[in-house]
């Protein structure tokens, strides 16, 4: 079901995923920042493998760019940042040469806009042999589009590849990955292939000839794209009457969800419930399952709130937990509840998360 962008943004603002901005630009709220952190971690894991092969990756110190437009709109933003911060990059040449990187290898760098801290871009420069460069470029375009689609649960086909082809000098080939939603389009990644080089690159790469592939991923725009893609709204019957009410949720990919589990206490004034909830929260957070603890007077309202925030699991600690050690655990995507022992919660969530991470695309979306 298609929704107006303004309605989606209104919902995201109401739940604190994005913030109202006087300049009419969407800025990320605390939960949005959590999604951005998760998205970058996924990006970082993905860029060292191309065509099933692993490559050496060198990471440079993050850069601050004072020009937001140059950061967001230039597909060659990694090279652009080198020119803006030439002294800093030049000081890294010798340490990189000491690593003796042989083709192919990857250099990555993150960039933040000084004028807007939420403007966050992650870029890489892939150095490769000229004879392999075009094949690697086409493989990269396919794999990057597939990567963006795999993190979309609802409509992976909304992420599409647009190509510009060669420039007039036939030395630069460029493309971009965009989210297409109704009449709304957002560029989430720019990709280019170049046969040219510059002085800094020549000092870094010991090979006499090489070609480069540049990839600039707009992580902050990617967060907004996934939030728009994840938004769902449907009409459902109220449990207590026959009136239809609108039910909203954010079906974010488990790897992107800012809160993996919410531990909800039926009575915060009871010390045993508070202690058990604290124990469970600590255990899950220690396993890197980001968990939020809160008290709740109405479980239905709490479920609704966390569905709208994209929380994967809601866990209820109540009298049954004190008497028998059992908790109720509810899954966001199915709405089903099960009762399990407190000791088994961590294993249960880890198993469900692992299964959801195996999400694969339909065959027609794997072939571009």
């Amino acid at each position: 079901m298609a929704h107006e962008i303004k309605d989606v943004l209104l919902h995201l603002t109401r739940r604190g995923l994005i913030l109202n901005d006087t300049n009419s630009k969407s800025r990320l709220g605390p939960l949005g920042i959590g999604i951005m952190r998760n998205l970058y971690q996924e990006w970082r894991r993905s860029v060292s493998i191309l065509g099933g092969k692993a490559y050496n990756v060198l990471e440079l110190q993050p850069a601050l760019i004072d020009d937001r437009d140059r950061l967001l709109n230039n597909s060659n933003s990694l090279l652009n940042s080198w020119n803006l911060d030439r002294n800093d990059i030049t000081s890294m040449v010798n340490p990189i040469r000491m690593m003796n990187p042989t083709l192919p290898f990857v250099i990555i760098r993150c960039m933040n806009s000084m004028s807007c801290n939420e403007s966050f871009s992650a870029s890489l420069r892939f150095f490769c042999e000229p004879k392999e460069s075009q094949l690697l470029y086409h493989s990269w375009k396919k794999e990057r589009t597939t990567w963006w689609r795999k993190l979309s649960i609802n409509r992976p086909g909304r992420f599409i590849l647009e190509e510009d082809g060669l420039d007039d000098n036939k030395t630069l080939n460029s493309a971009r990955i965009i989210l297409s939603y109704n009449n709304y389009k957002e560029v989430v990644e720019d990709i280019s292939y170049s046969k040219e080089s510059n002085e800094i690159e020549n000092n870094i790469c010991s090979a006499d000839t090489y070609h480069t592939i540049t990839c600039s991923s707009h992580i902050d725009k990617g967060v907004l794209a996934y939030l728009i893609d994840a938004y769902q709204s449907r009409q459902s019957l109220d449990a207590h009457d026959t009136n239809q009410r609108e039910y909203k949720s954010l079906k974010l990919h488990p790897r992107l969800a800012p809160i993996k589990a919410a531990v909800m206490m039926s009575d915060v004034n009871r010390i045993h419930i508070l202690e058990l909830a604290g124990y469970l929260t600590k255990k899950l957070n220690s396993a890197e399952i980001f968990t939020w603890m809160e008290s709740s007077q109405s479980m239905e309202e709490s479920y609704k709130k966390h569905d709208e925030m994209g929380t994967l699991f809601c866990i209820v600690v109540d009298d049954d937990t004190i008497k028998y050690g059992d908790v109720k655990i509810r899954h966001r995507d199915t709405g089903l509840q099960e009762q399990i022992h407190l000791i088994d919660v961590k294993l249960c969530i880890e198993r469900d998360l692992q299964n959801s991470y195996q999400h694969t695309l339909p065959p027609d979306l794997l072939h571009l």
Side-chain angles (χ1 to χ4, degrees), residues 175-230:
R176 69 191 60 82
I177 300 169
I178 67 170
L179 170 75
S180 180
Y181 183 91
N182 295 342
N183 295 323
Y184 173 85
K185 287 189 176 183
E186 187 72 89
V187 178
V188 294
E189 186 164 300
D190 291 292
I191 307 169
S192 63
Y193 157 68
S194 177
K195 300 178 182 179
E196 296 183 333
S197 59
N198 62 33
E199 178 186 349
I200 297 177
E201 290 176 337
N202 290 334
N203 290 331
I204 287 176
C205 185
S206 58
D208 293 332
T209 59
Y210 59 86
H211 291 171
T212 58
I213 300 170
T214 302
C215 171
S216 295
S217 303
H218 310 302
I219 303 297
D220 58 316
K221 288 187 173 184
V223 171
L224 185 59
Y226 279 123
L227 286 172
I228 292 171
D229 175 70

Side-chain angles (χ1 to χ4, degrees), residues 39 41 75 95 97 158 160 173 183 191 239-240 250 266 305 310 316 329 351:
L39 182 58
Q41 289 174 349
S75 65
R97 288 295 295 267
R158 289 172 177 166
I160 61 177
N173 204 332
N183 295 323
I191 307 169
H240 304 292
L250 278 182
S266 60
K305 177 186 74 173
V316 178
I329 182 168
R351 183 188 66 242

Side-chain angles (χ1 to χ4, degrees), residues 62-312:
L64 285 175
I65 307 301
D66 59 0
D67 190 332
R68 174 184 172 92
D69 292 333
R70 294 179 74 181
L71 171 62
L72 294 181
N73 299 325
N74 192 332
S75 65
N76 213 14
S77 58
L78 176 58
L79 181 58
N80 196 27
S81 74
W82 287 9
N83 294 331
L84 291 172
D85 197 10
R86 194 177 185 84
N87 291 333
D88 182 34
I89 295 296
T90 302
S91 67
M92 299 180 188
V93 169
N94 287 335
I96 293 175
R97 288 295 295 267
M98 289 177 63
M99 297 290 294
N100 192 27
T102 57
L103 296 177
F105 67 92
V106 178
I107 294 179
I108 68 174
R109 193 176 205 191
C110 301
M111 282 158 285
N112 287 284
S113 169
M114 295 173 64
S115 61
C116 183
N117 290 333
E118 287 83 359
S119 298
F120 178 60
S121 176
S123 296
L124 66 83
R125 198 82 161 166
F126 188 90
F127 295 77
C128 56
E129 295 279 0
K131 63 181 180 181
E132 299 178 342
S133 58
Q134 289 206 22
L135 178 60
L136 289 171
Y137 173 61
H138 291 299
S139 296
W140 186 262
K141 289 186 296 183
K142 177 180 178 180
E143 292 193 16
R144 294 306 303 159
T145 306
T146 300
W147 180 80
W148 283 97
R149 288 177 172 180
K150 279 188 173 181
L151 290 175
S152 167
I153 294 180
N154 294 323
R155 296 287 189 275
R158 289 172 177 166
F159 290 91
I160 61 177
L161 179 71
E162 288 187 348
E163 300 194 58
D164 292 333
L166 287 169
D167 65 354
D168 293 338
N169 297 325
K170 296 186 177 181
T171 59
L172 180 69
N173 204 332
S174 60
R176 69 191 60 82
I177 300 169
I178 67 170
L179 170 75
S180 180
Y181 183 91
N182 295 342
N183 295 323
Y184 173 85
K185 287 189 176 183
E186 187 72 89
V187 178
V188 294
E189 186 164 300
D190 291 292
I191 307 169
S192 63
Y193 157 68
S194 177
K195 300 178 182 179
E196 296 183 333
S197 59
N198 62 33
E199 178 186 349
I200 297 177
E201 290 176 337
N202 290 334
N203 290 331
I204 287 176
C205 185
S206 58
D208 293 332
T209 59
Y210 59 86
H211 291 171
T212 58
I213 300 170
T214 302
C215 171
S216 295
S217 303
H218 310 302
I219 303 297
D220 58 316
K221 288 187 173 184
V223 171
L224 185 59
Y226 279 123
L227 286 172
I228 292 171
D229 175 70
Y231 178 80
Q232 291 186 333
S233 176
R234 67 175 187 270
Q235 299 292 329
S236 62
L237 291 176
D238 187 86
H240 304 292
D241 53 48
T242 58
N243 295 327
Q244 283 196 339
R245 297 192 179 185
E246 190 175 25
Y247 174 79
K248 302 175 182 179
S249 64
L250 278 182
K251 196 174 181 181
L252 288 163
H253 192 283
R255 289 190 182 271
L256 300 182
I259 300 176
K260 300 293 189 283
V263 176
M264 301 186 296
M265 298 171 284
S266 60
D267 188 351
V268 72
N269 295 316
R270 299 185 62 180
I271 187 64
H272 294 303
I273 289 180
L274 184 62
E275 288 178 345
L276 288 171
Y279 162 79
L280 184 56
T281 302
K282 178 182 177 181
K283 185 175 181 180
L284 294 176
N285 278 323
S286 298
E288 298 185 352
I289 301 171
F290 186 76
T291 304
W292 184 266
M293 185 172 70
E294 63 180 43
S295 61
S296 176
Q297 298 299 319
S298 170
M299 291 302 168
E300 289 302 321
E301 287 300 316
S302 294
Y303 292 156
K304 177 183 176 183
K305 177 186 74 173
H306 281 284
D307 284 348
E308 293 180 0
M309 292 163 56
T311 304
L312 297 175

